[in-house]
Amino acid sequence: MDVAGHTLPDSLKTDFCGLTLNSPLVLLSGCVGFGEEYTRVTGFSNRDAGAVCLKGTTLKARLGNPPHRIWETPSGMLNAIGLQNPGVDHVVNKILPTLDFSETRFIANVSGSTVEEYVEVTRRFDDSPIDAMEINISCPNVKEGGVAFGNDPEMSARVVAACRKVTHKPLITKLSPNQTDIAHNARRCIEAGTNGLAVINTLMGMAIDPKTRKPVIGNVQGGLSGPAIKPIALLKVHQVYQVARGHGVPIIGQGGITTVHDALEFLMAGAATVGVGTALFYDPLICKTLNAGIAEYLARHGLKRVAELVGRLDTGGGQLESCAAG
Ligand SMILES: Cc1cc2nc3c(=O)[nH]c(=O)nc-3n(C[C@H](O)[C@H](O)[C@H](O)COP(=O)(O)O)c2cc1C
């Protein structure tokens, strides 16, 4: 037992990039601040998550984009926060010491505008208690770096290879869905030394206010998340898994997961762990429901570990087609 009321069944234990997680659930970057965002919600515990990804962190503090930064859309949400954060030194020296590393695994989200910045942020987190680092080369809300790197497989590989040189901690590369061939990019990042992949970050989107004829989001465009992107995310995980499984590189599947059904779909598509982001905004206690539901499914199907479900999609012999049917 971890603490009273927070016992998770052994079947939920998940190996990920050499870390043992108590649950396959990962709280996603930007949706939990620096691990403290929901701790005031009665009943919330970081122990319900196998890992918590901290907010994107750059070398120097960033104020982020002008408002609006968040806008609700049908079955989704647009955000353009612009990587607001206090800078890596503040995170390492002031925030990490306040986190309880006995509760869960904490993953830093490394962001930057240049390859050198990604490397320096990685180096500083390497010299900290952080359990792993996620390289965010897929943020659509900054003018330099972010998705500009993540949509170019060669640049993606350059960033990963450069970060790889300065840390032995697990590196997880967060891939962008805003590109032509995500599986090719995944392959290049694996060759460059990534230990894991996060699939997918948000899709670029926009909203307009007809009264003012202005874009609603201060940054004009934002990243779309939530249930609206789930079918896209699921396909991207399936595509990346075809490449990653041969290298033993695990995936954090994410994009619109709100139910047990969604989480099971992502596991079957090839995700070793499943991320929860936007869903936390309206149900901060959702992990309890998801953990219970996944454990119940495993028990009902005679499966002892989550890993036995990963990639167990029955395509009935069907092959992936590159063009859409219709
Ligand atoms: C408000 C907000 C802020 C985000 N900030 C970051 C970030 O700093 N770094 C990052 O890699 N992803 C960030 N994301 C993307 C999420 O981590 C996640 O990949 C995406 O929202 C898809 O999952 P979801 O549909 O469950 O939210 C952010 C998402 C939201 C909604």
Side-chain angles (χ1 to χ4, degrees), residues 29-30 55-56 77 79 109 136 174 200-201 225-226 254 256 277-278:
S29 182
K55 174 65 185 165
M77 178 168 118
N79 94 80
N109 187 264
N136 176 13
K174 190 154 177 180
I200 57 175
N201 208 321
S225 62
Q254 59 198 275
T278 302

Side-chain angles (χ1 to χ4, degrees), residues 14-97:
T14 303
D15 293 327
F16 188 81
C17 294
L19 304 171
T20 302
L21 312 186
N22 287 330
S23 156
L25 302 184
V26 177
L27 305 190
L28 296 176
S29 182
C31 304
V32 282
F34 284 94
E36 82 304 356
E37 195 102 330
Y38 296 103
T39 47
R40 281 159 293 155
V41 176
T42 307
F44 177 87
S45 171
N46 279 329
R47 291 180 193 270
D48 290 328
V52 174
C53 293
L54 307 181
K55 174 65 185 165
T57 303
T58 48
L59 189 55
K60 301 274 177 244
R62 286 178 64 112
L63 288 174
N65 290 328
H68 292 304
R69 294 173 164 200
I70 284 186
W71 192 253
E72 190 168 352
T73 61
S75 295
M77 178 168 118
L78 282 170
N79 94 80
I81 308 296
L83 291 177
Q84 180 188 358
N85 78 95
V88 65
D89 287 339
H90 183 91
V91 175
V92 168
N93 298 323
K94 302 278 187 227
I95 296 179
L96 296 192

Side-chain angles (χ1 to χ4, degrees), residues 12 14-16 21-29 48-53 107 134 174 197-200 230 233-234 237 250-280 286-287 289-291 293-295 306-307 309-311:
L12 293 182
T14 303
D15 293 327
F16 188 81
L21 312 186
N22 287 330
S23 156
L25 302 184
V26 177
L27 305 190
L28 296 176
S29 182
D48 290 328
V52 174
C53 293
I107 302 175
E134 183 173 66
K174 190 154 177 180
L197 294 162
V199 185
I200 57 175
K230 198 200 84 178
L234 197 57
V237 168
I251 299 169
I252 311 176
Q254 59 198 275
I257 293 173
T258 61
T259 64
V260 174
H261 182 114
D262 296 338
L264 293 171
E265 282 185 279
F266 275 81
L267 293 169
M268 289 174 198
T273 54
V274 284
V276 187
T278 302
L280 290 165
I286 192 170
C287 287
T289 313
L290 298 181
N291 279 326
I294 296 169
V306 175
L309 198 56
V310 174

Side-chain angles (χ1 to χ4, degrees), residues 137-138 145-153 155-156 174-176 179 185:
I137 46 167
S138 43
V147 85
F149 287 172
N151 285 350
D152 176 346
M155 272 311 293
S156 303
K174 190 154 177 180
L175 300 180
S176 164
Q179 59 180 322
N185 195 314

